[in-house]
Amino acid sequence: MPTVQANGIDIYYEVVGEGEPLILIPYLAADQACYAFQVAEYAKHFTCFTVDLRGAGLCSKPEGAYTTELLADDVAGFMQAAGVGRAHVAGLSLGAATGMWLAAKHPERVASLSLHSAWDSSDAFLRVVVEGWRVMAQALDSVTDMVIQGIFPWCFTPELYAARPEYIDSLAAFVRGRPMPPVDAFLRQSQAVLSHDARDVLGAIQAPTLITFGQHDMVTSTRFAGPLTAAIPGAEMVVFENCSHAPIYEDVDGFNQRTMEFLRKHSG
């Protein structure tokens, strides 16, 4: 299995495709396979590196405090260890929070930045939602069950549950088939969400930046659009209609098309 040592941990990754490097950073509790519906399309034009974050997947899960800045340092270390000097960087939710820190601290490494379902700093509403997930994970003693029962309803619209229950079931089966973190590791990784605050560094981002939201997302709603677009010079914004927190699953074709347009515009 492809693993590199970086920033004091073992980082698992997979690579597919040809072209300029594109690093895909996963979201809370997920492993690198969470971009399964994007990689096949992206790999037609880019060399896709999907990585596991500290605390999830097959990455190390050490004790200690996790922050989004630390996760960004892990990804920067991964890039150095894997011989990736400069890359396009994309992430959703926790992956986006990690990506903004990466672009701010290591601008020379980021050719373009795609921030999906992102937020600049955790507010009271976001924190109470994530605290609920933490309580549920401990009560169920299962991160897998917590994701399906607790996180899924925030990621998908009621309309998707009603119209395509078999699709929701298939996504749940996908989660059950992945290497999910133990509860203690989830608590450490989710603490990085709770403490995220990149307001002081967003102005240092130099890369062309795309910011996307789901129209019906409540966790990272468009309430964060103003702060992000005001702080990141020249940022573009897209809102995916009829989607909640996870347009990567709810509007696969639309998401892939719009994000690919941005990536190709800033490659070469």
Side-chain angles (χ1 to χ4, degrees):
M1 296 184 293
T3 302
V4 298
Q5 279 199 326
N7 207 28
I9 61 172
D10 292 331
I11 299 177
Y12 176 82
Y13 70 100
E14 294 187 6
V15 57
V16 63
E18 296 181 358
E20 296 178 19
L22 167 61
I23 293 179
L24 297 166
I25 308 175
Y27 45 83
L28 179 64
D31 75 327
Q32 53 79 34
C34 66
Y35 292 104
F37 293 166
Q38 283 68 52
V39 167
E41 188 66 28
Y42 291 168
K44 296 175 183 177
H45 303 280
F46 297 91
T47 302
C48 297
F49 292 83
T50 54
V51 300
D52 283 348
L53 285 178
R54 177 185 298 248
L58 300 179
C59 195
S60 298
K61 302 170 183 64
E63 301 286 341
Y66 292 16
T67 66
T68 47
E69 182 178 4
L70 174 63
L71 298 178
D73 290 339
D74 290 344
V75 176
F78 161 78
M79 293 177 70
Q80 181 172 354
V84 181
R86 182 175 171 86
H88 302 276
V89 173
L92 184 141
S93 199
L94 176 59
T98 300
M100 62 181 69
W101 270 105
L102 178 68
K105 290 188 68 176
H106 307 277
E108 74 286 352
R109 290 201 174 274
V110 181
S112 75
L113 181 64
S114 298
L115 304 176
H116 309 303
S117 304
W119 76 104
D120 61 330
S121 177
S122 297
D123 63 6
F125 183 81
L126 189 152
R127 284 195 296 270
V128 78
V129 171
V130 175
E131 289 287 8
W133 296 341
R134 289 161 61 89
V135 170
M136 186 178 289
Q138 293 175 89
L140 294 171
D141 194 27
S142 168
V143 175
T144 299
D145 291 339
M146 179 277 301
V147 167
I148 295 167
Q149 298 178 44
I151 295 184
F152 268 29
W154 294 93
C155 289
F156 311 121
T157 58
E159 290 77 13
L160 184 67
Y161 272 87
R164 302 180 64 192
E166 75 290 343
Y167 182 55
I168 298 291
D169 289 344
S170 72
L171 293 173
F174 179 77
V175 170
R176 290 190 183 97
R178 301 310 305 166
M180 298 297 287
V183 171
D184 65 318
F186 170 76
L187 294 177
R188 290 193 292 275
Q189 198 183 60
S190 59
Q191 186 60 47
V193 175
L194 295 173
S195 64
H196 175 66
D197 187 348
R199 289 174 294 183
D200 290 342
V201 301
L202 290 176
I205 294 175
Q206 300 173 15
T209 301
L210 173 67
I211 300 169
T212 75
F213 295 97
Q215 181 184 25
H216 300 292
D217 188 3
M218 292 179 65
V219 182
T220 56
S221 72
T222 53
R223 71 185 183 278
F224 294 114
L228 286 170
T229 56
I232 301 174
E236 303 176 31
M237 191 177 81
V238 171
V239 176
F240 292 101
E241 298 181 1
N242 306 316
C243 291
S244 186
H245 189 62
I248 63 170
Y249 304 122
E250 200 152 20
D251 181 11
V252 175
D253 292 341
F255 181 89
N256 290 355
Q257 178 183 345
R258 295 300 297 273
T259 56
M260 179 65 83
E261 287 174 1
F262 172 81
L263 288 166
R264 297 194 70 183
K265 180 169 68 174
H266 295 288
S267 64

